[in-house]
Every structure is written in structure tokens, then in C-alpha cells.
Amino acid sequence: AMTKLQGGGDAAEESAPPEQAAPPQSPAQEAAQEIDVLLITANSHREMGDLKKAISIYEQALQLDPGNPEITKDLSDTQEELKKLITTHLNEGIKLFNQEAINEAIVEWDAALALDPQNRQALDYKKRAQNMLKALESTPTTEAPAPTDAPK
């Protein structure tokens, strides 16, 4: 008798899927849930430093809920963070370039370009640095005179 009851219980469960037990969600509830998921995802990308991805997800959330002040603020804060990060890479590149660490400077400008591929400054600086490297490579290296040769 026990096995029949268990078998009967399984059959009853199969005939009524659990999804049908819960009332269907309204479109507004579904949208709110989707926005929550997007915001959680965007926030985690932002915390991991993937600001471009976070911005694109905040923009998706804003399309679902235009004018939402929380999303608008998160989006603009993240865009500001991205601008600051790009500026940091640009400035670090300039500093390295001025210290004649040209390859390192190019790495910084590449980092800026990874965040903003159309960044004119980074593109210009990188081009100049690459031209300087080419010029240095084509110039035969001459030994610097020993300090004793300096005029007294």
C-alpha cells in the first residue's frame, strides 16, 4: 500500500506543474524583476572594474524604466568613473613618455583606448610614441661620451 501511495503522489505532482500553482506575474512585476537582475549584474561589473559593461547594462535597465532616478544616478556615476579612469591612463602615459619610458606609455594609452576606442588624445599620443620608437630604432646607437670627455 505504501508504494502505491508514493507512486500516486508522484503522478499527482507530475499532472500539476509547480509553475501553475503560483499566480502568473503581471508584466510590471516581470519588468521590475528584470530591472533588479540587470542592476545586480551592472553593480557587480562595476565593482569588478568592468565599467564599460556596467554602463551598457545600466542603459538597458534605463530603457525598461526610463527616468528611474536610481538607475540614472548609477549610470552617470559609472560614466564619471570611466572618464576619470581614462584620464588617469592618459596622464600616466604622458608621465611615462616624459620619463622616456615610451613602451610603458603606449601600454597606458592602450588601456585608455580599451575603455574609449575613439579617444583622440590617446590615439595621437600613441601614434607619436610609435613614430618616436621607429625613429629611435632606425638611428644607430652611439655611445654617450664618458664624463671625463666633458669640457672642464
Side-chain angles (χ1 to χ4, degrees):
M2 196 82 166
T3 49
K4 266 188 183 169
L5 280 177
Q6 282 181 331
D10 287 347
E13 279 174 27
E14 283 169 33
S15 64
E19 295 94 61
Q20 288 177 356
Q25 285 194 317
S26 71
Q29 284 173 316
E30 280 181 28
Q33 249 183 353
E34 191 177 341
I35 291 165
D36 286 346
V37 170
L38 287 171
L39 293 180
I40 291 165
T41 309
N43 291 336
S44 78
H45 280 292
R46 184 176 171 186
E47 284 164 24
M48 290 187 302
D50 189 351
L51 301 179
K52 282 177 73 172
K53 185 79 178 157
I55 287 169
S56 117
I57 297 169
Y58 284 131
E59 286 169 344
Q60 281 179 25
L62 205 54
Q63 284 177 344
L64 293 173
D65 188 1
N68 178 307
E70 183 193 341
I71 302 171
T72 305
K73 183 182 184 323
D74 286 345
L75 176 59
S76 69
D77 288 352
T78 309
Q79 287 168 329
E80 276 307 304
E81 278 178 57
L82 184 64
K83 278 184 202 155
K84 282 183 190 155
L85 191 57
I86 291 166
T87 303
T88 302
H89 285 301
L90 284 173
N91 292 339
E92 192 60 28
I94 292 166
K95 193 171 87 183
L96 288 163
F97 184 84
N98 290 336
Q99 295 167 357
E100 295 179 18
I102 298 168
N103 286 310
E104 291 86 343
I106 290 172
V107 168
E108 287 296 326
W109 294 326
D110 279 340
L113 289 167
L115 299 170
D116 179 9
Q118 304 307 312
N119 189 291
R120 295 268 11 118
Q121 278 180 298
L123 290 167
D124 291 344
Y125 293 150
K126 182 180 173 182
K127 194 175 194 174
R128 274 196 241 166
Q130 286 172 326
N131 289 339
M132 185 178 266
L133 282 177
K134 278 187 198 130
L136 289 172
E137 283 164 12
S138 61
T139 315
T141 53
T142 50
E143 289 294 311
T148 50
D149 297 343
K152 290 183 171 71

